[in-house]
Amino acid sequence: MALQMISVRGLEKSYGDVRALTGLDLDVAEGSVLGVLGPNGAGKTTAVSIMTTLLRADAGSVSIAGIDVAEEPSRVRSIIGLSGQYAAVDEHLTGFENLDLIGRLYHLGNKAARVRANELLERFHLTEAGSRPVGGYSGGMRRRLDLAGALVAKPRVLFLDEPTTGLDPRSRNDLWDVIRELVANGTTLLLTTQYMEEAEQLADEIVVIDSGRKIAQGTAETLKTQTGGDRIEVRIDSELDREKTERILASVAVGEVVVEGRVLSAPVSGGPRALSIALRNIDDAGIDLSDAGLRRPTLDEVFLSLTEAETHQLKEAG
Amino acid sequence: MNRTRLAFADGFNIARRNMIKVRRVPEILISVLVTPVILIVMFAYVFGGAIDIDGGSYREFLVAGVFAMNVVFGATFTGAGLAEDMQKGIIDRFRSLPMSRSAVVFGRTASDVVYNVLTLAVMAGAGLLVGWRINTSFFEAAAGFLLLLGFAYSISWVMALVGLMVPAPEAVNNASIMVLFPLTFLANTFVPADTMPTALRVFAEWNPVSAVAQATRELFGNIPAGTPEPTAWPLQNPVLYTVIWMVVLIAVFAPLAIARYRKVAARS
Ligand SMILES: Nc1ncnc2c1ncn2[C@@H]1O[C@H](COP(=O)(O)OP(=O)(O)O)[C@@H](O)[C@H]1O
Ligand SMILES: [Mg+2]
């Protein structure tokens, strides 16, 4: 089994009355990517802050590469890189000066810091902008510079807190490419996001958190099947066929058939097979369709259904 | 490398970064280089002609006072700079680095010494132009400048703590007007204390800024001949009195400021 690079157990944190984390567990194996997905206020930043030594937990433990963050924060700091939710760059310094300063503060030595700064500027397509003060950078450039800052000391474990929030789609895609490249080189990555698509694109495994704890875990694929799975959706030409179609769909469905005007949909398991049976029966009955297909839930729907179920449970409990 | 050396290196790199910012933010450069010159010239010509001092030149008397006032006010940069840093994104980067926890504060007070060196250099130049002269040896003059820098450094630590306590950088300016203005004006910076009403005079005599001004005047040879000997102990021993204040201020405020920085930076 691969080494656990990040191991989080029973993490709790409150800000006064606000319970930000209520018993969070996480594991990330060396060289893998964990996507932590959760809505605003779910506790993502709080969790990342604790894992990166910036905040102390009320209870629970975190170890990074086997080192306890509460006991040896400076050793942890020297093997991790963090790019937080808001770009941690100095507006008045140039891109180069920012990275050079970070390298010096990592005690790389002045010459090595300089070399590393130039290396990273090139890798993040900032060489040209590198001699200009950061105050004039776009949001995407700042993000890239901040990510470069997180990589100065070649960390073994990288934390990215909502790396693409607020970026336009193009900058987002650019940043995704950079992140994929890092991961291909073996960096262990924990990434938080509010976007299902981002987690699906980048992460090996996804943990969904809400109200400070884990509510689901798995690959994008398993999460999709866990919550509802596929649906057959057909559109009938004539209103008169509605009842007959509904009966046919009900015979292959695993749940209730939903009718909305001329569109009927039914949850099924074993999607493609159920679809072909249903279509054959509809055809045999002489019903004309203007559209038919198998719909898999988008991850956003999965996410919504998971967080809604959670809210519902909480309401019932409290 | 051992921890102390690393801490020094970190402080140096932070100070270096603060100095780079001076080049990019013209307002700082103006406050450091232009305002002091304006003050020297203004005081020299506005008050210089109107006030007479027995047996000496008021301008010579005045310049050391303006020196003292300016370096004390320079400490505002320390507070405002730290307050600003704490608000900006870069502090989050510093917090995640394996650097010395006190480097941000040490580096800030160190870069302010550089500001003060620049300020003193241009003020001395302006002073010479309006007729101020050093009438003593090189070593005494150097001691005068060192004393000014040292005292300013100790005030920097006070303002560092203020900067780390206030919610926004602007509040530092208010605090500095409320504290540093009375401190620099209720003193012998611009006029001898003897003519003040008793309560004020006693305050002025024991005010460390008066001692700084008195000490530098002595060290530059700017005390007019025939000036009566001061009667208050601090003004009779201005160098010693200033050094005591320096040591006490640093001993009290440096640990407080560093502890405060750690607390604010930890945010827990
Ligand atoms: N410094 C703070 N003081 C008080 N409440 C906070 C603080 N930081 C976060 N919170 C609260 O804790 C909860 C979790 O916040 P956060 O970890 O920032 O979530 P996320 O990053 O997932 O949006 C939210 O309810 C938020 O309002
Ligand atoms: Mg957040």
Side-chain angles (χ1 to χ4, degrees):
Chain A
M1 200 182 99
L3 172 75
Q4 288 302 330
M5 261 317 217
I6 304 175
S7 165
V8 175
R9 288 289 167 273
L11 215 52
E12 291 179 25
K13 176 77 188 177
S14 298
Y15 302 98
D17 289 342
V18 183
R19 300 186 65 199
L21 295 177
T22 53
L24 182 67
D25 298 321
L26 295 173
D27 284 290
V28 189
E30 181 165 22
S32 73
V33 181
L34 178 73
V36 175
L37 181 66
N40 227 334
K44 302 181 296 294
T45 299
T46 304
V48 169
S49 300
I50 294 172
M51 289 186 268
T52 53
T53 78
L54 301 184
L55 199 64
R56 272 184 179 275
D58 297 339
S61 66
V62 177
S63 71
I64 308 291
I67 309 166
D68 190 293
V69 295
E71 277 163 25
E72 299 182 87
S74 37
R75 259 185 83 200
V76 170
R77 283 187 201 118
S78 61
I79 60 166
I80 63 170
L82 164 66
S83 176
Q85 191 171 350
Y86 307 98
V89 291
D90 195 320
E91 308 263 313
H92 296 301
L93 302 192
T94 65
F96 171 82
E97 286 161 351
N98 264 286
L99 297 179
D100 180 56
L101 174 65
I102 294 171
R104 286 160 174 257
L105 293 173
Y106 267 116
H107 311 125
L108 301 184
N110 297 352
K111 179 148 183 279
R114 211 159 43 234
V115 172
R116 184 75 178 139
N118 282 320
E119 218 171 87
L120 286 166
L121 286 174
E122 192 172 326
R123 177 149 160 216
F124 286 86
H125 313 297
L126 290 169
T127 305
E128 208 182 307
S131 53
R132 294 202 304 267
V134 172
Y137 282 24
S138 70
M141 287 160 79
R142 275 166 207 242
R143 264 285 163 200
R144 292 210 298 278
L145 184 67
D146 191 53
L147 183 53
L151 297 174
V152 164
K154 305 189 176 157
R156 292 164 67 192
V157 187
L158 186 61
F159 294 86
L160 302 179
D161 192 9
E162 301 199 23
T164 63
T165 298
L167 293 190
D168 60 81
R170 205 198 121 106
S171 312
R172 173 176 303 180
N173 278 319
D174 285 352
L175 202 65
W176 281 356
D177 288 341
V178 172
I179 294 170
R180 285 197 193 96
E181 202 181 305
L182 283 173
V183 171
N185 291 327
T187 309
T188 306
L189 171 65
L190 186 149
L191 153 112
T192 77
T193 179
Q194 295 192 42
Y195 308 117
M196 202 70 200
E197 190 195 357
E198 183 158 279
E200 193 175 14
Q201 288 281 332
L202 300 173
D204 300 319
E205 193 170 35
I206 297 171
V207 162
V208 183
I209 69 169
D210 196 24
S211 311
R213 55 192 194 85
K214 180 154 75 182
I215 56 172
Q217 174 170 17
T219 60
E221 214 46 41
T222 52
L223 285 179
K224 280 181 193 169
T225 37
Q226 249 178 40
T227 49
D230 305 339
R231 300 183 78 88
I232 290 175
E233 203 174 271
V234 301
R235 175 187 284 273
I236 47 179
D237 266 351
S238 157
E239 302 262 344
L240 302 174
D241 294 330
R242 186 184 294 138
E243 261 171 51
K244 249 193 284 179
T245 315
E246 193 176 345
R247 263 201 309 280
I248 294 170
L249 287 181
S251 69
V252 296
V254 293
E256 207 178 325
V257 180
V258 177
V259 184
E260 274 174 53
R262 279 191 263 167
V263 177
L264 294 87
S265 82
V268 294
S269 70
R273 210 181 125 67
L275 179 66
S276 77
I277 294 171
L279 288 182
R280 197 174 329 122
N281 291 342
I282 289 172
D283 197 37
D284 289 348
I287 301 168
D288 287 326
L289 299 180
S290 58
D291 194 14
L294 193 62
R295 273 199 54 226
R296 319 212 69 185
T298 65
L299 274 169
D300 283 318
E301 285 168 328
V302 172
F303 177 52
L304 280 179
S305 85
L306 283 171
T307 49
E308 267 163 20
E310 174 76 3
T311 317
H312 191 66
Q313 265 177 22
L314 281 180
K315 274 195 192 123
E316 278 182 358
Chain B
M1 273 200 272
N2 61 40
R3 285 175 72 100
T4 322
R5 268 192 64 192
L6 283 182
F8 265 102
D10 291 345
F12 171 82
N13 282 314
I14 295 288
R16 185 172 162 273
R17 164 243 181 195
N18 295 340
M19 293 315 296
I20 295 176
K21 287 177 96 141
V22 180
R23 297 207 304 261
R24 305 272 153 73
V25 188
E27 297 85 39
I28 302 183
L29 216 53
I30 289 172
S31 324
V32 170
L33 298 179
V34 181
T35 315
V37 173
I38 293 175
L39 284 175
I40 289 268
V41 173
M42 221 172 64
F43 273 103
Y45 287 104
V46 176
F47 298 131
I51 300 176
D52 270 330
I53 292 189
D54 296 339
S57 138
Y58 177 62
R59 276 191 197 160
E60 279 211 356
F61 176 88
L62 185 79
V63 166
V66 181
F67 285 178
M69 180 188 83
N70 260 292
V71 295
V72 168
F73 265 100
T76 312
F77 283 116
T78 311
L82 274 174
E84 193 187 323
D85 277 353
M86 300 312 287
Q87 278 191 333
K88 291 289 167 72
I90 188 68
I91 204 73
D92 288 326
R93 174 63 62 206
F94 291 157
R95 294 164 68 223
S96 76
L97 296 177
M99 62 189 269
S100 155
R101 295 285 97 181
S102 52
V104 171
V105 195
F106 263 111
R108 173 60 64 181
T109 56
S111 53
D112 288 353
V113 175
V114 181
Y115 289 178
N116 276 329
V117 169
L118 293 176
T119 301
L120 280 176
V122 298
M123 277 197 301
L128 290 173
L129 286 180
V130 301
W132 168 72
R133 292 290 178 271
I134 292 175
N135 304 312
T136 49
S137 70
F138 171 79
F139 291 105
E140 280 167 293
F145 283 117
L146 274 181
L147 198 73
L148 283 165
L149 288 174
F151 184 71
Y153 187 70
S154 67
I155 300 284
S156 272
W157 281 103
V158 180
M159 293 311 282
L161 181 65
V162 172
L164 292 167
M165 314 253 317
V166 296
E170 295 73 35
V172 175
N173 291 326
N174 297 337
S176 104
I177 283 176
M178 267 159 24
V179 178
L180 299 183
F181 242 106
L183 211 57
T184 49
F185 276 80
L186 305 183
N188 65 0
T189 26
F190 307 113
V191 288
D194 346 332
T195 56
M196 299 178 185
T198 313
L200 212 57
R201 197 194 72 228
V202 172
F203 181 88
E205 282 169 349
W206 288 85
N207 182 344
V209 178
S210 296
V212 175
Q214 176 77 15
T216 41
R217 279 177 191 134
E218 286 180 8
L219 289 163
F220 294 150
N222 293 151
I223 306 270
T227 306
E229 276 295 307
T231 48
W233 185 86
L235 296 182
Q236 287 169 345
N237 306 279
V239 176
L240 177 63
Y241 187 67
T242 304
V243 170
I244 292 173
W245 267 96
M246 269 161 57
V247 172
V248 170
L249 287 178
I250 293 175
V252 171
F253 284 92
L256 284 178
I258 289 170
R260 176 71 195 170
Y261 171 78
R262 288 186 187 176
K263 184 152 185 278
V264 182
R267 279 184 207 166
S268 49

